[in-house]
Amino acid sequence: MHIRTIIRKISVLCLCMTFSYVSAQRYEAEHGDFYSVRMASDQGGYSADGYVEFLSYDESSVGISVTVPADGLYSVVLRVLAVPGQAVSSRVKVECDESTYVCSQRLPPLGQFGNVQVNAPVQLIKGSHVFYITGLGGKWMLDYIELNSVSGGQVSKINFSPLVTAHPSKEAQSLYAYLCSMRGKGILSGQQIYSRTPEIKAIADITGEYPAVLGIDFIDYSPSRVAFGTHGSTTQEALKCWESGGIVSACWHWNAPAGLINKNEPDKHWYDGFRTTATTFDFVKGLDDHGSEEYKLMLRDIDVIAGQLKILQKAGVPVLWRPLHEASGGWFWWGAKGKDNYIRLYKLVFDRLQNYHKLNNLIWVWNGQNPEWYPGDEYADIVSYDVYPDKREYSAHTDKLSLLQSCTEHPKLLAFSENGTLPDIEKLAAECAPWSYFCTWDGEFAVNKQGKYSGTYTDEETFKRYYADDYVITRGELPDFRNK
């Protein structure tokens, strides 16, 4: 067992300590400094003199001065009223002293004032501080904030929701529990492949390690590609990875079920069928009319992929499952008809796999890239972002952290489900950033035409240094999820 693994096991034990809240201090929002917000008293149920109303545009905020009696860890409670039925969901960002990012999250549409606990506590020193509560969208009201001193240690315990899959397999539960326990303790290394594994060998050749996560794509199982002669092989690669002690992540560049333009023009070939530019397929017609050919074809395609997922389920393989990714960009057909239709399609995929096929090995990874496209906490276990910075531009992507956390009402795991250049692992480690894994995309992002490590996006020395960093978890450091 790696010494790094032993240290992490000790850290996980510390993480599982139980905390209690021993005191509370309340600070009224109307006593703060206003930035594009207004004081109001139209709604009933507030305390003291009134509340602060956040308007529907971004970045309005209030600065609230607080004084804490002692050094320690503090939870933050917001007493808010988020208006039901708003076209834009209400979201909030919490910062402290203009330099400490605390958390972002979606506010539940309560319809009356109620308490919402911020998803992450903050470490404060004795004395005065200013909390900045910033609106990220939607109309909502803030009555006050409340600080609660947390006893029991310096590490926060996050209570994650159970898996959204009904009756999940023991392997899926084991993997999910591990990912939850490792929040802020390390980031799993990952690598995407297409249909073979030169990337994995190239990584092992220069680092002596294998990535913890193997990313696969079910693209070539799409029936409209099979009709042109493709033959998917990534399910077999996933089985090999699992038997070797790795974790499987799967996406699906869904070639449109029909309506392929197939012209000899850029982004219009049959093999570009997942692109908006390459198909005339109208999935909204299918969603609106369950007797339509479009609906039948969508179910046919989903069922084909379900067959591959069932092969993995039978072998006991849990899957970090990321369907309908990058939707809000509009470059894929499933995102070309707006967020409401995308969410309807996402829920169709979820329902078909969950309730019709009874798949129990899936950990659902949502990757719409925009909080307004989020289907809801009951449809995702992990929220993720695909990052492609410039070549050799290493970043901690704190803005993406805030964006993803603002998607959900309750804490969810976070991931870089795709990346070109690697994130700045050293900064992530210094900040104990709660990213579960990264997954470098295939081809030029990892290897050259000779199948050797390319260094084009992440230079070789940086790559080797990152893979050797204590914060990066490789395959050899994973527990055995198969025997738990």
Side-chain angles (χ1 to χ4, degrees), residues 13-177:
L13 291 175
C14 294
L15 183 70
C16 294
M17 296 170 64
T18 300
F19 302 100
S20 59
Y21 303 105
V22 297
S23 63
Q25 302 160 266
R26 180 179 299 179
Y27 301 90
E28 296 289 339
E30 66 270 21
H31 298 161
D33 293 325
F34 297 175
Y35 306 90
S36 299
V37 299
R38 71 183 186 97
M39 180 178 170
S41 57
D42 304 329
Q43 300 282 343
Y46 61 84
S47 67
D49 302 323
Y51 54 85
V52 169
E53 183 178 68
F54 287 75
L55 305 177
S56 59
Y57 51 82
D58 294 353
E59 302 301 330
S60 53
S61 66
V62 59
I64 302 175
S65 297
V66 306
T67 302
V68 297
D71 297 356
L73 194 66
Y74 290 81
S75 72
V76 183
V77 171
L78 309 178
R79 183 152 182 95
V80 299
L81 189 162
V83 180
Q86 286 289 301
V88 179
S89 300
S90 302
R91 296 179 292 118
V92 62
K93 178 169 66 176
V94 179
E95 297 171 291
C96 183
D97 296 336
E98 297 185 315
S99 60
T100 302
Y101 170 75
V102 179
C103 200
S104 300
Q105 66 193 80
R106 187 181 295 261
L107 299 173
L110 300 173
Q112 60 185 1
F113 280 104
N115 290 347
V116 174
Q117 182 160 323
V118 171
N119 287 343
V122 60
Q123 188 75 36
L124 298 174
I125 61 172
K126 179 180 178 180
S128 299
H129 302 272
V130 179
F131 275 84
Y132 293 93
I133 313 299
T134 302
L136 299 177
K139 182 179 179 180
W140 57 283
M141 296 79 174
L142 174 65
D143 187 9
Y144 58 75
I145 69 170
E146 185 176 275
L147 299 185
N148 297 277
S149 177
V150 180
S151 65
Q154 300 302 305
V155 181
S156 64
K157 183 178 185 296
I158 302 296
N159 293 316
F160 291 100
S161 302
L163 287 169
V164 297
T165 292
H167 313 296
S169 68
K170 63 180 182 179
E171 293 88 358
Q173 293 183 70
S174 178
L175 173 56
Y176 181 62

Side-chain angles (χ1 to χ4, degrees), residues 158-203:
I158 302 296
N159 293 316
F160 291 100
S161 302
L163 287 169
V164 297
T165 292
H167 313 296
S169 68
K170 63 180 182 179
E171 293 88 358
Q173 293 183 70
S174 178
L175 173 56
Y176 181 62
Y178 172 76
L179 294 175
C180 291
S181 73
M182 295 305 296
R183 180 187 184 275
K185 299 294 182 184
I187 186 168
L188 275 67
S189 55
Q191 178 60 54
Q192 184 79 19
I193 64 168
Y194 177 51
S195 61
R196 53 195 182 89
T197 57
E199 294 89 354
I200 306 303
K201 183 178 185 302
I203 290 171

